[in-house]
Amino acid sequence: MKKFAYWFFAVVITLVLSIYQRMTGPTYPKKLTVELRGESYQMKLPRSGVQQDVLVKLPIPENQSHKLESAQTTPVPMSLHYRRFPTSDEYTSVDFRWKDGEWKAALPVQPVAGKLQYYLTIDGKDYLKDDPVVIRFRNDVPAGILIPHILLMFGAMLLAVYTFLLVVTGKDYAKWLKLTVGIMFVGGFVFGPLVQHAAFGPWWTGFPYGTDLTDNKTLLSFLFFLVALATLKWKYNKWVVGAAVVFMVLIFSIPHSAYGSEYDYSAQQLKK
């Protein structure tokens, strides 16, 4: 197998894993189909917001909107219901309003790591009332921190998969294993804490300080690769490397940002 084929399969596998992780994560917008006066409309409900009100939009085409528009509010009931999460607060309801060519309703900004849960009522029908959408608020992360973090973690995954292909085909993989460990360290333990701090305040929320799965899965995967690197000259090292890569693939399949930072409304601070 030529080197190009190795890289091709490594890139494809890494892209599939990255897309899967992104689309199954708790910050990826939730898709919803609603019915209104016999028409179906696709909505994308936000599950992440920065430090400002977040607009939930009902994408009704312009040529259909005149059927619903009435001064400032809709003649057909279209409401957004929200409350702080996790609390037993009563839901607050707001109507969708026609503004700037769209029907919109706003979720009010929350403290950093604060969450809201919400559902919709469209034309008398409740959507997601029994399984409300949860949105978490954070600070905006500078691109100069976020982009290197994403690229380095993507690169670490790519190199790990490439190393695995070398292992299973009996090629020399030592250099690529070392590069994987180095890039994972910089991406996960230099830029990772910078992103965490910029978004929520703390530098590290994994073990032993918290239960953030993003931090913990990075730590566990890195430890596996450290073992693989430490046993590089062992005759069975290829099995250790293979196990480290498989473990990395499995653990990074866990949705990104799950069990992350959360604001405690009763204590009015981030959960410890």
Side-chain angles (χ1 to χ4, degrees):
M1 182 183 291
K2 295 182 179 180
K3 186 178 293 186
F4 172 80
Y6 282 76
W7 283 114
F8 174 79
F9 285 113
V11 169
V12 170
I13 293 170
T14 303
L15 284 174
V16 170
L17 291 172
S18 299
I19 293 171
Y20 171 80
Q21 185 190 66
R22 168 65 177 159
M23 296 187 66
T24 57
T27 62
Y28 193 77
K30 184 177 182 64
K31 295 181 180 180
L32 176 68
T33 301
V34 300
E35 300 287 334
L36 183 56
R37 289 188 171 177
E39 298 288 340
S40 296
Y41 300 98
Q42 298 290 328
M43 300 184 69
K44 289 186 178 181
L45 304 177
R47 295 197 288 178
S48 179
V50 294
Q51 288 300 287
Q52 60 185 15
D53 293 354
V54 173
L55 296 177
V56 178
K57 302 176 183 179
L58 182 57
I60 302 176
E62 185 177 357
N63 61 356
Q64 295 292 324
S65 295
H66 70 277
K67 298 179 182 179
L68 305 174
E69 187 176 2
S70 173
Q72 296 181 342
T73 60
T74 62
V76 174
M78 299 198 301
S79 302
L80 173 69
H81 315 279
Y82 65 85
R83 68 180 179 187
R84 298 180 302 175
F85 178 86
T87 71
S88 56
D89 295 350
E90 294 292 327
Y91 278 99
T92 297
S93 299
V94 293
D95 290 332
F96 281 84
R97 293 181 179 274
W98 179 255
K99 184 178 180 181
D100 300 327
E102 293 179 297
W103 291 105
K104 302 175 182 178
L107 294 166
V109 63
Q110 298 298 298
V112 172
K115 297 179 180 180
L116 295 174
Q117 64 180 52
Y118 66 96
Y119 69 95
L120 311 174
T121 300
I122 306 293
D123 202 10
K125 180 179 179 180
D126 291 329
Y127 292 87
L128 303 172
K129 184 175 183 178
D130 296 329
D131 186 22
V133 179
V134 175
I135 180 172
R136 180 174 65 166
F137 290 78
R138 57 173 175 80
N139 291 319
D140 195 16
V141 180
I145 297 174
L146 183 60
I147 293 176
H149 169 66
I150 293 172
L151 291 178
L152 286 166
M153 296 308 294
F154 180 88
M157 174 73 78
L158 175 63
L159 289 174
V161 175
Y162 182 72
T163 302
F164 181 79
L165 294 176
L166 294 177
V167 168
V168 298
T169 54
K171 306 295 183 180
D172 182 30
Y173 57 84
K175 178 180 72 173
W176 300 103
L177 174 61
K178 294 174 183 177
L179 282 173
T180 300
V181 173
I183 291 178
M184 187 186 300
F185 175 80
V186 177
F189 299 98
V190 176
F191 282 95
L194 288 172
V195 170
Q196 178 70 254
H197 176 68
F200 300 110
W203 294 92
W204 180 262
T205 54
F207 179 84
Y209 299 107
T211 59
D212 189 315
L213 285 186
T214 299
D215 286 348
N216 282 330
K217 69 186 183 183
T218 301
L219 176 61
L220 286 173
S221 185
F222 185 70
L223 291 176
F224 263 71
F225 274 94
L226 281 183
V227 172
L229 188 60
T231 60
L232 186 57
K233 295 185 179 181
W234 188 36
K235 64 178 180 178
Y236 297 115
N237 177 255
K238 64 180 181 180
W239 296 102
V240 182
V241 174
V245 176
V246 170
F247 181 79
M248 182 186 196
V249 170
L250 291 175
I251 202 168
F252 275 84
S253 296
I254 298 173
H256 192 66
S257 298
Y259 293 97
S261 299
E262 183 174 292
Y263 187 80
D264 186 337
Y265 284 102
S266 59
Q268 297 188 351
Q269 63 181 17
L270 282 175
K271 284 187 176 181
K272 300 294 185 180

